[in-house]
Amino acid sequence: MKLLSSLAVLAVLFGFKSSEKPYFTAPSNTDIETLISQMSIEEKVGQTCQITLDAIHKTDDKGQALVPAQIDKAKLKEALETYHVGSVLNVGWHTLDRAEWKSIMTDIHAPYLQKEQNIPILYGIDAIHGVNYTVGGTLFPQEIGLAATWNPELARQMGEVTAYECRASGIPWNFSPVLDLGRQPLWSRHFETLGEDPVLGTQMGVALVEGYQGKGAKVDEFHAAACLKHFVGYSASFTGRDRTPAFIPEKYMQELYFPAFKAAVEKGALTLMINSGVVNGIPGHANYQLLTQTLKKDWGFKGFVVSDWEDFIMLHTVHRTAPSIAEAAIQAFNAGVDMSMVPSNPQYKTYCQDMVKAVKEGKISMERLDDAVRRILYVKNQLGLFGNPLPDMSKYPLFGSQTFKNIAKQAALESITLLKNETQTLPLKGSQRILVAGPGAASINMLNGAWSHTWQGLDTSFNTKGVLNIYQALKYQFPVASISYAKGVELYMEKDFEASRFDGLDSYKKALKKNDVIVICLGELPSTEKPGDIRSLQLDEKQKELVRLAKAAKKKVVLVLLEARPRIINDIEPLCDAIVQAYLPGDQGGVALAELLTGQADFSGRLPYTYPRYDGVIEFYDHPGSVARAKSGQFTAYNPQWDFGFGLSYHAAVVKNVSFKSKNENTGAFVVKVSIENPNKTSVQAVVPIYLSDLYASTTPENKRLIGFQKVTLAAGENKTIEFAFDASVLKRISSDGKWRAEKGAFEIICDGNKLTFELFNDLLF
Ligand code: BGC
């Protein structure tokens, strides 16, 4: 009775009949509570349900999505009116143009704008290296390349451009960034990570979130909600295969896998997606401790948690922690999943029915349901969707503009990493006859990798018009030289795995004779998730044969790697005069490579991971204990192909002096100053990393670990002193009692070969 009468009062206050639903255009927290109090169980459950576009798409007789993309209004009506669905994601199987997006979005938002619905729909997409599902969008390097720039400002700019172009496509929610730590190079999604280091990953990841969401208290119509993926440990699978179990001790969870997520949550990231795999025996989607205790209670995450694709269903079908799909939905929801990417039709209908039944039977409490709905409505409100779910899509004049392409090119330029350059092989010279060869030489798809116009990124028919591949870009940027092309090897998919065959090998051999320098572009076909699983890290043999043949012909060999993950090349490395790691540099990668290879721009990319030398020995730069053993001569424990942070430049800056000053002996705060000089007649960009080594501690310390870095630009002849201010929290590690502690004793600061030792006199607990 009490409830009924207070609702009647509210109805009078807000000017709607009690039979009508409140329609707020910029709801306050109280309004949101009013909304929730007016919703039926069915409506609340609907908010937690996310469907894929295919579920409401017009199809032909065979179920194939129609082109141009069109909403099936009957299916939409059913999803909204009967099931009250709150969110839609994805694209059919390929990229759409902005007119198609406009038509889709107009249809989807029409019921809300016509006040038939009172809660707007939230649309999400994987714009993971630019708006890869909108024709003409700006494609950046994949995250692994972005990390190699060591330039958080570029990450912020990439985020800003991507969010703008998402909004220009009518989409306010981006399933990015991936904050999984790249410590399993076999993993098919290694390229989607920001590398192996938690400090680099955190700074770059937080910058991306800031770029996506903007700096305001609310997200304006030029920004989009970020989605932190995939909480947590997805990247650490033991087998290296996608979505297989990981084992992560609590210490490493705290020190390595949590930091980027925690920092991004503190930055205000609005949503978070869950790891589809199993960590320490518990599926990510059933992990109450991680989702509710750690994320929501301990870290104070205010946004909502979304499942990954069909993942509550997997709790029953794959992980077998739930005896039925209905039980699985309850398990995931009670663990802390607020929205389920169900996402297909008719599965979503069953999900809604099962969930309503579970609430009615008390298997899901109303309090928990309200909490999920509150979080979802909070995010919709932060995005300004109430009242304006579809800002005018014509007011985005910079979509696909040269200004945006220049930022993407800058990101590619700063990411590409020079790993070897003997006898000044690079830059290429105008007097040389240059052969550009290999499967990557004339492929736009190999520049971009997966999540580019299609999920796997293999289809060439949707590539952005006017984009130059490496061969075309070299010809264009370097007209003075003689430049020709021979493919030599073709990559293709065979029974789910990448395979190769020689393609025009005779022409390649003939072309070798006529040229001085052979730029061989090798790597991988685009792939991600399960289709990207591999059985060995070795680079494909036929591709390596192109290097052997070029060397046997006594030519200068420049190896360009287009890799989603570091592939083993220890046998061909000695045969190469220069080696360039391009990662997956995006649409502007061809032009950026051409500028770098010809010396029109300088390299400033640095490896965001330890490049392995052997297939069976995967190690990381901070690996505890290994250096001492390597020194003893008994073992060569740490012996990667290239070290984390490694990268050459044509013109380098020189670190002149490193100084340490304790700011406060009691709190442990300190400052490191680095004087750096550019002795060159040209400006340079330098990455200055600061590493720390705890010399003795109760748990075996890392050899060294990154605690800060800056990327600086120095004009010709310029001297600069850069300052790093640290508080004592950078000294903390998980000690033997499982607590965060800076343990007293000696520490070493390491910067460019300079080592400074200081002492902490008391333990500090955090
Ligand atoms: C991937 C996610 C992605 C989602 C939606 C899943 O298969 O694991 O990273 O955001 O699909 O497309």
Side-chain angles (χ1 to χ4, degrees), residues 614-680:
Y614 307 106
D615 214 349
V617 184
I618 302 304
E619 49 198 348
F620 307 109
Y621 84 94
D622 57 359
H623 191 74
S626 57
V627 160
R629 289 201 157 199
K631 273 187 197 151
S632 76
Q634 284 178 296
F635 301 97
T636 48
Y638 185 65
N639 184 20
Q641 191 75 51
W642 289 286
D643 216 343
F644 170 79
F646 181 73
L648 304 167
S649 301
Y650 294 132
H651 302 285
V654 184
V655 170
K656 285 290 190 194
N657 186 43
V658 183
S659 68
F660 170 91
K661 193 162 176 275
S662 169
K663 269 179 75 183
N664 184 326
E665 309 249 318
N666 294 323
T667 64
F670 62 96
V671 170
V672 176
K673 283 189 185 167
V674 182
S675 312
I676 177 164
E677 180 190 305
N678 175 12
N680 305 286

Side-chain angles (χ1 to χ4, degrees), residues 89 126 175 189 229-230 243 273 308-309 341 451 529:
L89 86 149
D126 293 279
F175 302 138
R189 308 186 74 172
K229 301 198 307 196
H230 306 78
R243 292 174 159 87
M273 193 185 291
D308 203 339
W309 188 274
M341 192 184 285
W451 302 106
E529 302 191 49

Side-chain angles (χ1 to χ4, degrees), residues 503-548:
D503 181 351
L505 193 62
D506 288 342
S507 317
Y508 174 71
K509 286 183 189 160
K510 274 187 207 137
L512 286 179
K513 292 190 191 135
K514 292 190 212 139
N515 286 282
D516 310 311
V517 185
I518 320 301
V519 178
I520 310 180
C521 307
L522 307 183
E524 303 178 67
L525 275 185
S527 64
T528 186
E529 302 191 49
K530 287 311 278 182
D533 280 351
I534 53 173
R535 291 178 281 210
S536 161
L537 264 187
Q538 288 290 339
L539 185 66
D540 157 67
E541 273 305 314
K542 293 199 180 62
Q543 294 192 68
K544 289 201 280 195
E545 188 60 16
L546 298 184
V547 172
R548 292 191 190 104

Side-chain angles (χ1 to χ4, degrees), residues 442-464:
S443 168
I444 301 296
N445 297 63
M446 281 180 68
L447 292 174
N448 278 308
W451 302 106
S452 303
H453 309 300
T454 58
W455 174 43
Q456 292 297 311
L458 281 165
D459 203 316
T460 54
S461 38
F462 304 104
N463 289 344
T464 313

Side-chain angles (χ1 to χ4, degrees), residues 11 76 110 135 147 231 253 280 305 332-333 343 359 385 456 471 523 616 708 741 765:
L76 176 70
V135 173
F231 191 66
M253 196 62 115
N280 303 333
V305 169
F333 198 75
V359 177
L385 301 186
Q456 292 297 311
Y471 163 60
R741 180 180 273 120
L765 259 179

